[in-house]
Each structure stands twice: as structure tokens, then as C-alpha cells.
Amino acid sequence: MAEMRVERDSMGEMLVPSDALWGAQTQRSLENFPIGTETMPVEIIAAFGILKKAAAQANIELGVLDPTVGSLISDACDELLAGALDGNFPLKVWQTGSGTQSNMNEVVAARANQLAEERAVALERPIHPNDHVNRSQSSNDTFPTAMHIAAVLALSERVLPAARALITELERLERENEGIVKSGRTHLQDAVPIAFSQEISGWRGLIEAAVDDILLAAEPLRLLALGGTAVGTGLNAPPAFDALVASKIEALTGEFFLTDPNKFHALTGKDAMAFSHGALKVLAANLMKIANDVRWLASGPRLGLGEIRIPENEPGSSIMPGKVNPTQCEALTMVAVQVMGNDAAIGFAASQGNFELNVFMPVIAYNWLQSARLLADAMESFRVRCASGIVADRAKMAANLHNSLMLVTCLNPYIGYDNAAKVAKKAYAEGTDLRSACVALGYLTEEQFDEVFHPEEMI
């Protein structure tokens, strides 16, 4: 059994593992919520480290926190951000809906006190989780602030770089496949010709449009609740704390942030999280379409469309030797499904604000950040292990193109829609080509047909 120590909070004594930096409040939450395996996202923990450091700096500047104490808190936050305090944040997502115990003041305070001891810094009294680390703050304004910081950083550092890298890969594929004409398809049926590069440009456009949506939807995330404290009134926060701490967070992250001018909205409304996740859902939907296109086009290798070849990454069957499956497409589509499910959960949670607070914040944060993480990882994996290796099967594309009955569309201006339909139906029923059917029906001579029928020019 692990060695334990006694810690105290406003409710009394608690036994805490001797080697843990957390205190009584964290231990109470750990014991009171043995629910599931999902712990608070690491992105939220890092965001708390940023805002606690920024708050300490602002409190020093405003004269409400001793500079020595504030400096020790700041240094402890630096260690947190560097990963040195990993393992000290064990709390579950399924806890108090404001994430109060994940405000992590106990860990920062404990480490700051250790630093004071290591540096032989004399303190008037030990650094306190609430009185010092949480100075001018409440869980009710820090948790929504942490969510916004984490979301903005997840977009700028992970989702958008992965999306832009995939766009670049698709641009390369476009250039390399210029001049290849293939059959288009609508309703999963043959359609008029399209250039393969044009088809790829459609994929690229789907990602570009989603990126634009994400950038637009990210703007409300830059408004921070910090400074509203418990109910939005700013009780116990000094004047100008909210604007100053937002500027400190901006300096620490390199991302633009502002204090929310309406703290009552900031605490109870989670529309910024729901709105921005909607843009992630758009990206997921577009990635689903691209992945499905790729696996349809690569289907076969002999009995499917077989118009492209994709990398063969691993055996596809435990019983069928030589089988290879489009596994990167499958992984990407599963991620898309998960993101769509997360969007539903976030939407429901965002609707549940009561009076001055929404108490569904941990589940919103967990699902939002999972979506961002999965999308970024899946796009990168798909780019490296699938998209980069897409190769057009020119012979199969040409064969399918010239076997398509929808090439008859180019005859509309010469023989009319109804007659062209008769040509297509005759060719299909008799298993002949369009040329033979058109000539047999007497609509065009062989010479006239050859003069107007040029599939490669129909794009």
C-alpha cells in the first residue's frame, strides 16, 4: 500500500498519497467520482498552466499578490507546461460540471512551495491554492477560459497545420494528374467525363472551405471569461484585471485574446465552443466524402472501379491471402463519425446553462478536444500513408471512359436529347457502342459521328 500523508481543506482531513502534489480537494474528487477512465484532457491542463501564470503576473502588476509568491507560482506553471508535473492531474471528466477540482491550484501551490524550500526563499506563510494561485479568480471563470485557450491552440497548432499539409498534397496530385480524362459519376452512376485533376481539385476545395469555416468560427473563442469570477460580476477581482490578464495570456501564447465584455454571457453560454465545433464537424463531413471517394475509386483490384491505386500498408484479411484494404480511408471515416457524435454531445451540453453557469463544461472540453486531436492525427496519417501514394490507373480510366454510355450527352446539340437517349438505351440493351447504335438508328453517319464525338474534349 502506498504511503499516505494527511492534507486538510475547509471540509477537514484527507489521506493523500505521499508522492502526489495534489491536496485534499483533489483527493475528494478522485474518491467521489470513480466514473469511467476518461481523465481531464492534457490540453486543458496546459491551458490552466498558461492562465495561472498569466493571472499571477497580472496580480503582481495590480499590487494584489506578493511578487515573490507570484514568481514562484509562475515558475511552477512553467514546469507544468514543460511536462515536469505530469501524473499529478488524475481527475475524471465525469465530475463536478464546473470542473472546480481541476482548477489544479493545489498542484501549482504545492510545487511553488517546494520551489521556495529548494531556493531557501522565506515566505510569510505557505502559498495557498485559493488565496494565492486562485487570486482574483473562480473555477467558474477559469474553466471556460481554459477551454477557449485550449481550443484556439488546438486549432492553430494541430488542426490547421494538418489540414494545410493535406491541401498541399492534393495540389501536388492535381499537378501530376493534369491531362488525364476519366468518367464522372453522379448518383453512383456513370456521368459525363471529368479530368482527374478536376476531381482532385474538388477534394482540395472541400478542405480549403473547411479551413475558412474554422478560422471564422474560432474568433468567438478569443473572448475570455477570466475576470468574471463566480457569477460574472467580477467579485474579488481588482479593476482592470480582466483586460490585463487577457493581454498576458496573449503574450504567453502568441495568440490574440480579449476579455469578454459580457462576463454573464461568458460564464453561462457555451455557444463559442458549440459554434467552433460545428466547423470541425464540417471538416469531418468533407473528409468523410474524400475518404469514401478514394476507397470507391481504389475498389477492386479486379472487380471494382480500380481507377486508382493506393499504398498497400498491411494485410487486409486473416483468411484471404493477398487481400489489401483501404484502411487509412476507414480510419479517417471512423474519426469523422466520432466527431459528428461529439458535435451532438456538445450541442446538448451547451444548451444546459442554468442561471449564471453552465455545468457541463468538462464534457464539452473533452469532446471538443478529442475531435480536434483525432482530426489532426487522422488527416496527417491519411496524407502520409494514403494520399501521397495515390496513382492513377490511366488504362483503366481510359477504358471506363470510352465504355461509358453517358458520352452520348455530347450528341444532344446534333440529334436532340430524346434521340440521344434512344442511342444510349439501344447500345446498353444490345451491348454495342454508341457509334454503332447511333448509325443504326440513322441519326448520324459514321463520319458525322466521328467528327463530333471526342470524349477527351468534353471536360
Side-chain angles (χ1 to χ4, degrees), residues 47-79:
F48 265 112
I50 291 167
L51 78 85
K52 292 297 175 184
K53 180 175 181 177
Q57 292 176 344
N59 282 326
I60 292 171
E61 193 168 323
L62 293 169
V64 297
L65 185 66
D66 177 81
T68 300
V69 171
S71 178
L72 289 166
I73 291 171
S74 181
D75 290 347
C77 290
D78 284 338
E79 290 191 2

Side-chain angles (χ1 to χ4, degrees), residues 31-262:
E31 294 179 12
N32 284 332
F33 300 99
I35 303 171
T37 59
E38 296 84 0
T39 55
M40 199 60 66
V42 294
E43 298 93 338
I44 289 291
I45 294 170
F48 265 112
I50 291 167
L51 78 85
K52 292 297 175 184
K53 180 175 181 177
Q57 292 176 344
N59 282 326
I60 292 171
E61 193 168 323
L62 293 169
V64 297
L65 185 66
D66 177 81
T68 300
V69 171
S71 178
L72 289 166
I73 291 171
S74 181
D75 290 347
C77 290
D78 284 338
E79 290 191 2
L80 183 156
L81 292 168
L85 307 185
D86 288 356
N88 283 285
F89 311 106
L91 298 188
K92 302 294 176 60
V93 169
W94 321 109
Q95 52 160 292
T96 175
S98 59
T100 298
Q101 276 66 52
S102 287
N103 205 355
M104 72 180 60
N105 302 320
E106 290 182 324
V107 174
V108 173
R111 182 54 187 150
N113 283 319
Q114 287 181 348
L115 290 173
E117 185 177 346
E118 291 169 7
R119 298 170 184 176
V121 176
L123 298 173
E124 186 176 336
R125 67 187 181 98
I127 295 172
H128 191 276
N130 302 91
D131 295 339
H132 299 120
V133 184
N134 200 52
R135 183 82 178 191
S136 310
Q137 306 152 66
S138 163
S139 298
N140 296 352
D141 66 348
T142 58
F143 204 96
T145 297
M147 288 201 300
H148 281 207
I149 295 170
V152 168
L153 294 179
L155 294 178
S156 65
E157 295 177 359
R158 300 204 61 186
V159 176
L160 291 171
R164 287 166 177 150
L166 183 53
I167 289 169
T168 299
E169 192 67 57
L170 294 173
E171 288 173 337
R172 180 191 65 79
L173 283 174
E174 280 182 72
R175 292 191 300 270
E176 292 185 0
N177 288 282
E178 287 181 1
I180 302 175
V181 180
K182 61 184 290 292
S183 179
R185 293 178 178 87
T186 58
H187 302 268
L188 292 181
Q189 303 294 305
D190 305 341
V192 295
I194 186 174
F196 187 37
S197 59
Q198 292 173 328
E199 192 166 48
I200 296 169
S201 77
W203 301 342
R204 171 178 53 80
L206 288 167
I207 307 300
E208 290 173 337
V211 166
D212 290 342
D213 290 342
I214 289 169
L215 292 171
L216 175 66
E219 290 308 299
L221 293 171
R222 301 183 186 278
L223 294 176
L224 302 181
L226 205 57
T229 64
V231 296
T233 61
L235 180 66
N236 290 345
F241 173 79
D242 56 354
L244 181 59
V245 76
S247 69
K248 299 290 186 186
I249 291 170
E250 179 176 345
L252 290 172
T253 61
E255 292 288 342
F256 176 66
F257 287 104
L258 283 172
T259 187
D260 195 317
N262 187 332

